[in-house]
Amino acid sequence: MSAHFLGKGNFIMAMVIKNNLVAQSALGELKKNNDKLGKDLKKVASGMRVNGAGDDASSYAISERMRVQLRGLEQDNANAQNATSLLKTAAGAIGSTVDLLKTMKEKAINAANDTNTDADRATIQKELDQGIDQLDDNANVTFNNKILFDGAADAATDVKQTIVKGLNSEWIDASLQLIKDTYGISFADDTASVKQMNLLFENSGPDVLAYVRSYFSGNKTSKLELSVNMDFYNKLKQTDPNGYTSASAGYLDRTLAHEFTHAVMSTNIRNFSSLPKWLREGAAEYTHGIDDFRVVALSKMTANTIDSDADEDPYVAGYAFLHYLNKANGYDGMAMKRLMATLVKEGGTSSGLDDAIAAATKGKFSTSNEAIAAFKADFAAAKDVRTFLKDSCDIDMSDQTDTGSATGSKSAAGDAANGEDIVLEGKSTSYWWYPSGQQTTIEGLTMDWGDYPQPALSHAGFRFQVGTKANQNILAAFSDIHADALGLKSAEGETLSVQTRPAAKRALTIFDRAIRKALDQATTIGALTSRLDYTSRNLTTASENVQASESTIRDADMAKEMTEYTKSNVLAQAAQSMLAQANQSSSGVLSLLQ
């Protein structure tokens, strides 16, 4: 059958049997309806509006990218949880270390008590040695065969880095504490006009080591700079906690104690530069003592050396004079504190100095000139310089067990301290660590570290991948917490001693510093754990949001799709019925052929 159009809106159905165009048309509609039904059925069965690129090409591409992101976020969350497990392992080790250090300090306090004999202290030492071994066991903890406390955060490849670590960890703290014990003044005092110091590394030639440069505004200090002369300290032995250098510069820690004495006095005493040089330099030398390395200069001293500003004269004369005042006072342990307190109150004028001398000696000398005259008279009466120094100043240059410091045994203020002990450090430079920022406040002084060559941490520590991009990670670099890295054992294996009362007393400070470092690591781990917790929550939220967005694009609206499916199903059935009718229409031709 075929149809012929005769005009607008009119057509004639021909009686044909070869081409059943009506059936073909119905078949085409049936095919389209079946295709549509198949797609609707797939959407209803899968629950997704877009099952392939053919359904909606752009939506499919966007959805697939979201699925990649979603799987990445889920793995990031798993990574964060694994990292948290690693940190918990580290936290357990550091917690055990802190508990052990508290116990060990308790033993050291016991050893410092003179109710114990040296035999008792030897027993305590055995306990401490076992505890120190246990510290190493704690520090060897691993996670998935990875060593956690590998010291990556504190590695140094440059002398300047080592010096910065030494200053940050022990040298400044020990120097300022020594000055406070000696003179009772510090940067934390309200009278301090400056509480910040800048660190500089310079090449200053052969005449200076490390020194503090003070800038003045009127009668007050307005700025401080600590300069380290790398002409000497480029040869620093980086494993020596005292700052030994092969350039014959002496221990850096004692040089720093000297220079920081200038700094503390300068910032607390008005008209500091007006004080005589013998007092400025003598006070700095008196902080750490010079009986051991200025023997020649002391031996050449005369009664009139105190009037000279040449070479080493003001250093040795001022040093001897302060010892002279301390003995004249009767060793009550407060002479130097009274001297400095008066200078802080009245300033560095001549009248202020007179009152300071009077206060230091409890009125035995009323002026500085009177005290100097007595010093010269006693010197002249002595058989020789060594006799004068020993009889009038208690400076025994044959005794090398004590440097003659303000807090040592020769000043009747404490225990004997030699050149290595006077500025108190731990047993190893492995204890040292870097500043946590551009500035660090130590004993009231804020140090600005400047542009020292900071180590690259690109290959150090752990990087926890918590993002879908290459650089979205969290760095976790840990300090070493082995016994040597806590200052309790030397590189040669010598452990911290409490076998004498003075040694036990010094050990208390070393344990305090070890606990401080361990707690610093504990807080670092705690902060990282807290951050990872927030990271995990953020990743969960991000994953939920991406999932919701992807669902909006790809998931089927079941109510709508069921409606479409029902519609397509009805249309398919109708098309089937019409096809059957169309197929029957050709049979009418047979009646014409009978």
Side-chain angles (χ1 to χ4, degrees):
M1 293 178 67
S2 65
H4 298 277
F5 290 91
L6 297 178
K8 184 177 180 181
N10 299 308
F11 65 93
I12 296 175
M13 294 286 292
M15 300 291 286
V16 299
I17 60 173
K18 185 175 183 181
N19 292 301
N20 191 343
L21 297 179
V22 173
Q24 289 177 356
S25 176
L27 180 62
E29 289 299 322
L30 177 60
K31 187 174 184 302
K32 287 191 290 184
N33 288 335
N34 280 336
D35 289 343
K36 181 71 166 52
L37 180 63
K39 290 182 179 180
D40 290 340
L41 182 61
K42 190 173 183 180
K43 290 177 183 179
V44 172
S46 67
M48 292 190 298
R49 184 181 68 84
V50 180
N51 286 283
D55 294 333
D56 186 336
S58 61
S59 294
Y60 177 78
I62 294 171
S63 173
E64 286 299 312
R65 284 197 295 269
M66 285 185 171
R67 287 188 174 188
V68 171
Q69 184 181 9
L70 184 61
R71 292 182 65 174
L73 289 170
E74 290 171 350
Q75 184 59 55
D76 287 335
N77 207 347
N79 288 356
Q81 292 171 8
N82 288 334
T84 299
S85 297
L86 182 149
L87 292 176
K88 287 180 178 178
T89 302
I94 201 69
S96 177
T97 293
V98 170
D99 288 340
L100 186 55
L101 287 171
K102 289 188 289 189
T103 300
M104 294 168 73
K105 184 182 178 182
E106 182 182 1
K107 298 296 183 183
I109 292 173
N110 183 20
N113 190 11
D114 249 346
T115 58
N116 292 301
T117 65
D118 284 348
D120 296 328
R121 295 186 180 101
T123 301
I124 295 173
Q125 183 68 47
K126 292 179 181 178
E127 294 183 73
L128 290 184
D129 289 344
Q130 289 299 316
I132 288 173
D133 287 343
Q134 182 58 44
L135 290 176
D136 286 335
D137 291 341
N138 291 350
N140 288 330
V141 65
T142 62
F143 183 88
N144 195 25
N145 291 326
K146 286 179 172 287
I147 296 174
L148 302 184
F149 298 102
D150 57 359
D154 304 323
T157 57
D158 184 276
V159 174
K160 292 179 181 178
Q161 294 170 0
T162 300
I163 291 174
V164 168
K165 290 198 300 178
L167 290 168
N168 178 62
S169 308
E170 288 191 305
W171 286 338
I172 294 177
D173 175 67
S175 296
L176 294 180
Q177 189 59 55
L178 184 60
I179 294 164
K180 188 172 183 178
D181 290 344
T182 302
Y183 298 118
I185 57 176
S186 71
F187 285 105
D189 296 341
D190 292 338
T191 52
S193 60
V194 176
K195 296 178 182 288
Q196 180 172 325
M197 181 181 293
N198 300 327
L199 174 64
L200 303 173
F201 290 103
E202 298 178 342
N203 293 92
S204 308
D207 298 326
V208 294
L209 302 177
Y211 62 94
V212 170
R213 184 185 292 114
S214 297
Y215 297 84
F216 297 94
S217 177
N219 63 358
K220 292 184 179 180
T221 299
S222 58
K223 182 180 177 181
L224 294 171
E225 291 177 345
L226 171 63
S227 178
V228 179
N229 184 5
M230 298 308 293
D231 286 333
F232 284 102
Y233 291 110
N234 259 329
K235 300 180 180 179
L236 189 78
K237 183 180 180 181
Q238 297 189 56
T239 58
D240 186 279
N242 297 290
Y244 171 80
T245 171
S246 58
S248 302
Y251 290 141
L252 179 54
D253 62 353
R254 293 177 72 177
T255 300
L256 292 168
H258 179 105
E259 293 301 320
F260 274 99
T261 302
H262 288 319
V264 175
M265 290 176 64
S266 170
T267 193
N268 279 283
I269 300 173
R270 302 183 311 279
N271 295 306
F272 170 74
S273 59
S274 298
L275 289 171
K277 190 173 182 179
W278 61 260
L279 178 57
R280 286 181 280 129
E281 298 299 345
E285 296 288 71
Y286 188 62
T287 300
H288 57 88
I290 57 172
D291 293 4
D292 52 341
F293 72 87
R294 277 206 157 113
V295 175
V296 174
L298 283 167
S299 299
K300 293 180 178 180
M301 192 178 71
T302 67
N304 295 319
T305 299
I306 198 169
D307 299 321
S308 170
D309 283 348
D311 299 326
E312 294 183 298
D313 288 350
Y315 295 81
V316 296
Y319 169 73
F321 184 68
L322 291 179
H323 270 284
Y324 181 82
L325 294 181
N326 192 42
K327 184 169 184 178
N329 169 65
Y331 299 120
D332 68 352
M334 297 297 294
M336 295 302 109
K337 290 183 173 65
R338 289 195 298 270
L339 177 83
M340 285 297 168
T342 304
L343 289 173
V344 169
K345 180 180 179 182
E346 300 188 20
T349 61
S350 58
S351 61
L353 178 58
D354 288 341
D355 290 343
I357 296 292
T361 59
K362 296 180 180 178
K364 180 173 181 178
F365 304 117
S366 58
T367 67
S368 61
N369 287 336
E370 182 182 346
I372 291 172
F375 175 81
K376 290 180 177 181
D378 287 342
F379 195 113
K383 180 177 65 174
D384 53 42
V385 61
R386 285 179 174 265
T387 302
F388 166 72
L389 291 173
K390 185 173 182 179
D391 293 345
S392 297
C393 306
D394 278 340
I395 297 175
D396 184 358
M397 290 186 292
S398 64
D399 178 8
Q400 294 296 298
T401 63
D402 189 275
T403 64
S405 70
T407 57
S409 59
K410 292 182 182 179
S411 301
D415 300 304
N418 60 24
E420 294 184 351
D421 293 337
I422 185 55
V423 181
L424 184 59
E425 294 98 5
K427 305 289 287 184
S428 172
T429 60
S430 297
Y431 168 75
W432 297 345
W433 69 89
Y434 291 103
S436 58
Q438 180 65 33
Q439 295 181 332
T440 306
T441 299
I442 306 169
E443 291 290 324
L445 173 66
T446 299
M447 283 297 302
D448 189 308
W449 300 109
D451 297 325
Y452 75 93
Q454 299 188 39
L457 292 176
S458 57
H459 303 293
F462 301 89
R463 292 190 180 273
F464 305 135
Q465 185 67 35
V466 293
T468 58
K469 302 299 182 183
N471 293 320
Q472 293 175 334
N473 51 55
I474 294 174
L475 171 65
F478 300 127
S479 295
D480 192 354
I481 59 167
H482 286 81
D484 62 336
L486 294 174
L488 307 180
K489 183 190 289 187
S490 70
E492 293 75 26
E494 179 187 359
T495 58
L496 185 67
S497 174
V498 296
Q499 297 192 67
T500 64
R501 191 194 63 78
K505 185 181 74 172
R506 287 191 289 269
L508 297 179
T509 300
I510 305 302
F511 277 121
D512 283 339
R513 292 177 182 167
I515 291 171
R516 182 180 70 179
K517 181 175 184 179
L519 289 175
D520 179 77
Q521 278 297 285
T523 55
T524 297
I525 292 169
L528 282 168
T529 302
S530 179
R531 179 181 177 183
L532 282 171
D533 183 43
Y534 283 111
T535 298
S536 181
R537 294 181 195 176
N538 182 58
L539 289 169
T540 299
T541 301
S543 178
E544 291 172 353
N545 292 334
V546 172
Q547 181 75 68
S549 298
E550 196 269 346
S551 174
T552 300
I553 295 172
R554 199 145 184 181
D555 286 355
D557 182 340
M558 294 302 290
K560 179 181 177 182
E561 298 303 335
M562 279 302 298
T563 300
E564 290 295 320
Y565 170 76
T566 302
K567 174 183 173 183
S568 298
N569 192 24
V570 170
L571 289 172
Q573 291 180 41
Q576 286 176 342
S577 177
M578 293 305 101
L579 179 60
Q581 293 296 323
N583 286 335
Q584 289 296 321
S585 64
S586 295
S587 63
V589 178
L590 295 176
S591 62
L592 297 176
L593 299 176
Q594 290 179 352

